[in-house]
Amino acid sequence: MRLPELLCGGIFLFFFISDVRPEKVEVLVAAGSQAVLPCKCRSLSSDSAIIWSKERGGTVWRKQRSGLQYRGSSWAQKGTQRVQCPHQQFERGDFSLQIDAVTKEDGGTYTCMVDVGRWVTQSVVTLRVLTVSVSPSVPLWGNNVSLGCDVSPRPDEASFRWRLNGSPYVPGTSSGLVVNASLRLSGNWSCEVTSGGRRVEASAPLTVRGILQPSREDARLYAAVGSAASLPCIFSPGLKPSESLWEKLKPTSLFRSAVDRLPASFSSSSSPAQLPWDKSARLDPVGLEDEGRYRCSGTVEGQRLARNMKLIVAQIVQTKEKGSVTLSCQLSDSSDVTKYDWVQTTSDPNGTESVRSVLKGKTVRISPESEQNQWTCRFYGKQGVLGNITHQAQLIGGLTGPGKSSVPSRNTPTVVGLSLLLLVLLLVLAQMYKNHQRRKRIFQYPALETMVHNISNEREEKNRNRARK
């Protein structure tokens, strides 16, 4: 080929390629979200050709000058195309590519070529996809769990921060964590990545199987004396714990608890309607001596799971003073109680109940007349109401403490009189029954009675004749 032709060809190539202006940008998104890869051209043309391609992935999307569009076959998901270039943006020279439901495999380098006739614009975009993984995603309580925060392709420099249910998890500044599964670590794990001035966050759920209720160790349960109390022990749905066991603990040291005898009112038998993962127990009725720590345990997949809880018993102690009655709300452990209040409930002749007064304090002083109404003591903690116990005058005999005097009932004379009358009636009935039995035995042999009577008469007649002689 002659030199002039080479020069001409060289000038021709220079004319079309010299305006290729590569712009390198990075896009960082979370897996599952939408990614927008920017591509803008300052020269506008209605018949421009556009080609989006991925390095080692071929053509992603392209449009010919005629307006025909093509998409890569691998970019369809269940019949829905995941890539598009919105036409309404073309008039402004915006040929950005949208990728829906981004996956880890979508990460890589993309090239946008826009041919407007005289000019060719080229943009290079690196798409980095953040993925959070939890393995296993549903572990058994006590097993190890691996948490991963992966960016594909990996940047040269990046910082990581972990959050659990929206709160920072410390320590959590590496791309991978290994934690011991517990209910406290259940929830939504989020990883925030900062790279090249860009920041993005992705998350994944962690569900721990084990004992769901009580939700935490040494949970506190409140029950009133004389009422029924439930001791919850509910495993994750689907689990079938074997060798389930309830124990009452007697603390003897800081490191070990001795087993005490379960109360006589304790019942752990499962009803037919009870689910296999529900191993809850019941105390009915609750006594003052039932307070203390209890432990529920069971074996799941060869691992022994246990949960401790503490039962706190409440009672109302009343004392009689001159012209007044004092009610005191007492708990076997009041360390979590922040306040008390008292509610008086009255009933009208129609049976409609209404609240008449609310008093504050652990102890209240009331009149003997108002004591006949129903009084309820409610006790509160930092999170709200912990429990309540109700006092009624006719039911307080067994609730008074040592050295306390209860208010005498107004019905005592009536009860004594009725008891004496009943005793007299019983004595009368007993005597009548004896007389009846004696007559019955006699009348059973009438002939014998006549013979005895005749012999007696003859003997008397002989004695009278001898006396005359």
Side-chain angles (χ1 to χ4, degrees):
M1 183 178 293
R2 292 176 295 177
L3 181 61
E5 293 178 357
L6 291 172
L7 292 175
C8 182
I11 294 172
F12 177 80
L13 291 173
F14 178 78
F15 176 78
F16 282 99
I17 300 177
S18 63
D19 196 54
V20 174
R21 296 165 295 174
E23 300 177 0
K24 295 183 179 181
V25 297
E26 290 192 1
V27 175
L28 180 62
V29 297
S33 62
Q34 183 189 74
V36 178
L37 309 186
C39 180
K40 296 184 179 182
C41 178
R42 288 177 295 179
S43 299
L44 305 180
S45 176
S46 60
D47 59 349
S48 58
I50 310 162
I51 299 178
W52 271 99
S53 60
K54 182 183 178 184
E55 185 179 10
R56 294 188 296 275
T59 300
V60 178
W61 184 92
R62 68 186 177 93
K63 182 181 80 71
Q64 296 180 349
R65 292 182 185 276
S66 62
L68 294 176
Q69 300 180 31
Y70 300 90
R71 293 179 176 86
S73 59
S74 61
W75 293 91
Q77 187 177 41
K78 297 181 180 180
T80 302
Q81 296 293 339
R82 295 197 299 121
V83 294
Q84 61 176 333
C85 265
H87 288 191
Q88 62 270 22
Q89 306 292 337
F90 291 175
E91 296 180 356
R92 296 193 291 269
D94 190 347
F95 305 98
S96 300
L97 180 71
Q98 295 181 0
I99 304 178
D100 297 327
V102 174
T103 64
K104 178 180 178 180
E105 292 72 22
D106 294 340
T109 301
Y110 293 76
T111 302
C112 171
M113 295 285 293
V114 180
D115 183 358
V116 296
R118 292 183 56 195
W119 306 99
V120 176
T121 299
Q122 175 177 308
S123 297
V124 179
V125 182
T126 299
L127 174 61
R128 303 189 190 276
V129 181
L130 172 61
T131 306
V132 174
S133 60
V134 177
S135 179
S137 60
V138 188
L140 188 65
W141 183 85
N143 293 342
N144 287 338
V145 182
S146 297
L147 305 173
C149 192
D150 180 60
V151 181
S152 178
R154 185 76 176 240
D156 295 334
E157 295 182 1
S159 62
F160 302 87
R161 292 181 61 189
W162 287 92
R163 290 188 178 88
L164 173 57
N165 298 324
S167 300
Y169 181 78
V170 180
T173 56
S174 61
S175 60
L177 297 175
V178 176
V179 298
N180 188 262
S182 66
L183 293 180
R184 183 180 61 87
L185 300 181
S186 293
N188 191 56
W189 283 86
S190 302
C191 178
E192 181 186 89
V193 176
T194 303
S195 175
R198 291 168 296 278
R199 179 180 300 172
V200 70
E201 184 177 292
S203 60
L206 171 62
T207 303
V208 178
R209 297 178 301 156
I211 301 178
L212 300 182
Q213 291 293 334
S215 59
R216 58 186 178 87
E217 184 72 5
D218 290 325
R220 297 192 166 203
L221 311 174
Y222 294 84
V225 171
S227 66
S230 176
L231 301 179
C233 184
I234 302 176
F235 290 73
S236 299
L239 296 182
K240 296 181 180 180
S242 61
E243 302 175 1
S244 59
L245 178 66
W246 273 98
E247 299 169 302
K248 185 178 183 183
L249 304 180
K250 180 170 58 176
T252 56
S253 67
L254 295 176
F255 305 100
R256 191 173 182 179
S257 296
V259 178
D260 202 354
R261 180 184 301 176
L262 287 170
S265 60
F266 182 90
S267 173
S268 62
S269 58
S270 300
S271 64
Q274 196 168 1
L275 298 172
W277 50 84
D278 187 353
K279 300 300 179 181
S280 300
R282 184 177 176 85
L283 285 170
D284 188 11
V286 175
L288 283 174
E289 66 282 358
D290 297 337
E291 66 88 22
R293 297 174 65 237
Y294 293 80
R295 178 169 61 202
C296 167
S297 60
T299 300
V300 178
E301 299 178 6
Q303 183 173 338
R304 192 70 179 173
L305 304 182
R307 184 61 49 82
N308 295 336
M309 63 202 77
K310 184 174 184 179
L311 178 65
I312 298 175
V313 177
Q315 67 168 336
I316 292 179
V317 176
Q318 59 97 31
T319 57
K320 180 183 177 181
E321 300 176 0
K322 293 183 179 179
S324 67
V325 176
T326 300
L327 302 179
S328 178
C329 191
Q330 297 185 3
L331 282 77
S332 57
D333 184 349
S334 59
S335 57
D336 286 347
V337 179
T338 57
K339 67 174 182 177
Y340 302 82
D341 67 28
W342 293 80
V343 177
Q344 181 186 16
T345 305
T346 58
S347 300
D348 59 18
N350 296 327
T352 304
E353 294 185 347
S354 60
V355 178
R356 296 188 57 182
S357 62
V358 178
L359 304 177
K360 305 294 183 180
K362 181 177 180 178
T363 302
V364 294
R365 180 174 296 179
I366 60 177
S367 64
E369 291 77 14
S370 64
E371 188 206 4
Q372 302 305 312
N373 298 323
Q374 177 177 291
W375 286 86
T376 300
C377 171
R378 298 181 301 195
F379 37 95
Y380 300 79
K382 295 180 179 179
Q383 305 301 324
V385 178
L386 297 177
N388 63 77
I389 181 171
T390 299
H391 164 85
Q392 288 180 313
Q394 63 270 25
L395 300 177
I396 62 176
L399 296 179
T400 55
K404 307 295 182 180
S405 61
S406 60
V407 179
S409 173
R410 298 181 178 181
N411 295 329
T412 301
T414 303
V415 173
V416 173
L418 290 175
S419 300
L420 292 176
L421 178 61
L422 180 60
L423 181 60
V424 171
L425 289 175
L426 289 175
L427 292 174
V428 172
L429 290 175
Q431 186 62 38
M432 292 176 64
Y433 179 76
K434 289 181 179 180
N435 295 338
H436 172 72
Q437 289 295 104
R438 185 171 62 252
R439 288 195 302 270
K440 185 177 179 181
R441 286 194 300 269
I442 294 174
F443 293 152
Q444 188 175 3
Y445 306 99
L448 180 62
E449 182 183 7
T450 302
M451 293 174 61
V452 172
H453 183 69
N454 291 335
I455 294 172
S456 178
N457 289 338
E458 291 178 358
R459 185 178 298 168
E460 291 179 358
E461 183 65 25
K462 290 180 178 180
N463 292 332
R464 284 197 298 270
N465 292 334
R466 290 175 182 173
R468 293 175 183 173
K469 293 178 179 180

